Amino acid sequence: VVPMIVRRQREDADGGRAYEQRLMTLGVVVLTAVAVAGVLLAGPLVSLYSADWNARKIEVAVRLAQYILPQIAFFGIGAIAGAILNTRDRFAAPMWAPVLNNIVMIGVALAYYVKLDVAGTDIGTVTNADLALLGLGTTAGIVAQCAVLVISLHRVGFRFRPRLDLREAGLGEMGRTAVWMFAYVGVSQLGFLITTKLASGAGEQSPGSGNAAYAYAYQFFQLPYGIIAVSVITAVLPRMSRAVADGRLDSVREEFSSGVRLVSALLVPAGLLLMVLGPAVTVLIFSWGNMTVESAVSIGNVLQIFGLALVPFSLFQLLLRVFYSFGDTRTPAFLAVGNVAVNASLSLLVYLTLPARYILMGLAFAFTVAYITGTAVAWVLASRRVRGLEGRKVARGLSRMYVAALPTALFALGVLWLTQELAGLNALSATIMLAAGGGLGMVLYLAVAHRMRIPEVSSVVEMVASRVRR
């Protein structure tokens, strides 16, 4: 919705205020209805992903879904509030609101941990009160996140007044945009469903290799993207949308190119470090409680493959914002179809040909290939749309970053080998690997890249140095 809001801010006599109120009204009504429908249909929704589950497991999943699905409304309302804030170049609240959510959820996790002597530690013994703590506690975090965004929106002068004169809300344009956006989401969910089924099948063949292991690895893979790339994407989209509204394609090219290089400056070494230190990350986090070191290493192996996908996945998301800045949601929907087709085909091939213990790694590799292919296709289409994306400059910057990151990867590999030879792989040795290989390795990258005078890295080094001097 950011490009639509920007356009109405430019065109409407009231600066788009009435449009924003109509948009928020529509969001509240529709998203609340969807959330209620989700709660009522929790059983059928769970059944889509729960082949061969026993009755107790389905019962627990449905109960948790009923507690969690109301988040749809709060996520959506918060997203609209965040979009309006972004169009006003206010980025602090959208970046910090998830921190409050995390604090609430950490509190919920600690409360559940304290209750472990009476709370259920598995599906068979968990009680309804335990599920309420987990489900409603998680939802409370999203409510808090939404509240921060709504309060911040009020502070910048937005006053919400329900407006039911929706004929003036641009429903035709919004509807066309939404149809293709829903198509994108639907196709993506189809791909997610296929991957879930195959990963679950792998878990039935090889213990410790189920969908949960794949999901854990995927979440850790998303972490650097969420911290680094999303921050840049959030700032770039409103600026590109304004440039499109003014017909300044040269500014769109410049914003995209600088965004890609800024994101890659940190994602390039992060991806290589995940490829080297993936098992150390997961052993440190998971190798206690009900999970063995071997199971944690299996998750880490999947995370290593995902490390390959970090840069192309982030570039693909940035490329989608080029289309969104034009109000084009149709092209991303077709790109999603291509991505899912490639991913599903390769995933099925992996499932049918690889030994069970390698299937999850194969699924992660299929994901990587799909996004490399999707990025290439999206680049060509976006380049045609804006008459070039400064490809040579981007390629030159990326190649220099990979050269600068190579010593970091080798250093981390050396630390990994030496620590494992001396102490094996356990939580303590994983901590050493991450502190030395990851922490010092990243410092080495910054030093080498600064010496190579890579502008984006040099700006990061100078910013950190100025903060330290203060």
Side-chain angles (χ1 to χ4, degrees):
V1 298
V2 168
M4 289 189 288
I5 296 173
V6 167
R7 193 156 52 249
R8 298 301 288 262
Q9 287 174 345
R10 294 291 179 89
E11 296 174 356
D12 292 358
D14 65 349
R17 295 302 176 94
Y19 179 79
E20 292 167 351
Q21 290 173 349
R22 294 185 187 102
L23 180 63
M24 184 65 79
T25 301
L26 189 64
V28 170
V29 172
V30 172
L31 291 166
T32 300
V34 172
V36 171
V39 172
L40 295 176
L41 297 173
L45 288 171
V46 168
S47 68
L48 289 175
Y49 302 91
S50 56
D52 302 324
W53 285 11
N54 60 46
R56 176 57 179 163
K57 192 171 183 179
I58 292 175
E59 179 188 355
V60 169
V62 170
R63 182 61 60 88
L64 280 173
Q66 290 171 335
Y67 289 140
I68 289 172
L69 286 171
Q71 294 177 20
I72 292 171
F74 295 101
F75 263 123
I77 294 166
I80 295 172
I84 297 173
L85 285 167
N86 289 342
T87 63
R88 288 162 164 76
D89 291 328
R90 301 298 179 94
F91 304 111
M95 296 304 298
W96 286 106
V99 174
L100 178 59
N101 170 32
N102 288 333
I103 291 172
V104 173
M105 294 219 290
I106 289 169
V108 171
L110 290 175
Y112 193 85
Y113 184 76
V114 169
K115 284 178 86 257
L116 274 182
D117 56 335
V118 292
T121 56
D122 59 52
I123 294 294
T125 60
V126 70
T127 67
N128 287 338
D130 301 332
L131 296 177
L133 173 61
L134 291 174
L136 294 178
T138 302
T139 297
I142 304 305
V143 172
Q145 175 175 304
C146 178
V148 167
L149 293 166
V150 171
I151 292 170
S152 299
L153 193 58
H154 184 82
R155 286 181 175 175
V156 300
F158 177 84
R159 298 293 180 266
F160 176 58
R161 181 167 64 88
R163 298 186 67 121
L164 299 177
D165 53 337
L166 298 181
R167 289 185 178 181
E168 302 297 325
L171 292 180
E173 178 190 22
M174 198 178 299
R176 290 188 296 272
T177 300
V179 164
W180 289 109
M181 200 69 229
F182 282 131
Y184 178 92
V185 173
V187 170
S188 299
Q189 282 299 302
L190 176 62
F192 174 71
L193 176 61
I194 293 170
T195 301
T196 299
K197 294 286 189 182
L198 296 178
S200 298
E204 294 171 6
Q205 299 177 45
S206 176
S209 299
N211 182 58
Y214 183 91
Y216 287 140
Y218 183 79
Q219 289 299 320
F220 275 101
F221 152 74
Q222 287 277 301
L223 186 62
Y225 162 75
I227 293 174
I228 300 167
V230 170
S231 302
V232 174
I233 287 171
T234 300
V236 163
L237 180 57
R239 293 202 293 262
M240 287 199 300
S241 299
R242 292 190 196 105
V244 169
D246 295 338
R248 294 181 287 109
L249 295 184
D250 56 332
S251 295
V252 177
R253 291 192 292 270
E254 185 178 343
E255 288 288 349
F256 173 80
S257 174
S258 62
V260 167
R261 287 179 280 116
L262 186 59
V263 163
S264 300
L266 294 177
L267 288 186
V268 164
L272 292 179
L273 286 174
L274 282 181
M275 292 170 62
V276 175
L277 299 175
V281 172
T282 54
V283 166
L284 178 62
I285 300 298
F286 293 113
S287 63
W288 56 281
N290 293 331
M291 191 175 291
T292 64
V293 171
E294 290 74 19
S295 296
V297 169
S298 297
I299 299 172
N301 293 147
V302 180
L303 182 57
Q304 287 178 299
I305 305 299
F306 273 132
L308 282 168
L310 187 57
V311 172
F313 177 82
S314 301
L315 292 184
F316 182 82
Q317 301 303 325
L318 273 163
L319 284 163
L320 291 187
R321 269 60 185 185
V322 174
F323 299 109
Y324 293 150
S325 66
F326 284 87
D328 177 8
T329 53
R330 182 177 64 175
T331 302
F334 284 114
L335 289 170
V337 171
N339 261 21
V340 169
V342 173
N343 193 8
S345 300
L346 292 177
S347 295
L348 186 60
L349 180 64
V350 160
Y351 185 80
L352 295 175
T353 58
L354 289 183
R357 65 180 182 275
Y358 295 125
I359 287 177
L360 293 189
M361 296 174 67
L363 294 178
F365 184 72
F367 175 92
T368 302
V369 173
Y371 273 96
I372 291 173
T373 306
T375 298
V377 175
W379 186 285
V380 172
L381 296 178
S383 182
R384 289 176 182 172
R385 178 69 61 89
V386 298
R387 302 171 194 166
L389 290 174
E390 300 187 354
R392 291 183 180 179
K393 184 185 290 187
V394 170
R396 184 166 60 251
L398 281 173
S399 61
R400 297 184 72 209
M401 291 170 194
Y402 274 107
V403 170
L406 186 58
T408 292
L410 294 175
F411 175 77
L413 191 61
V415 170
L416 176 70
W417 176 83
L418 181 61
T419 307
Q420 199 160 359
E421 285 292 313
L422 294 176
L425 187 56
N426 50 56
L428 178 60
S429 64
T431 303
I432 296 171
M433 292 173 191
L434 292 175
L440 295 179
M442 186 60 76
V443 172
L444 175 62
Y445 165 75
L446 292 175
V448 172
H450 185 58
R451 194 67 181 267
M452 291 176 63
R453 297 184 179 180
I454 298 175
E456 294 77 18
V457 178
S458 296
S459 64
V460 172
V461 172
E462 290 168 4
M463 180 184 68
V464 173
S466 65
R467 295 283 176 88
V468 171
R469 284 194 294 269
R470 290 177 187 175

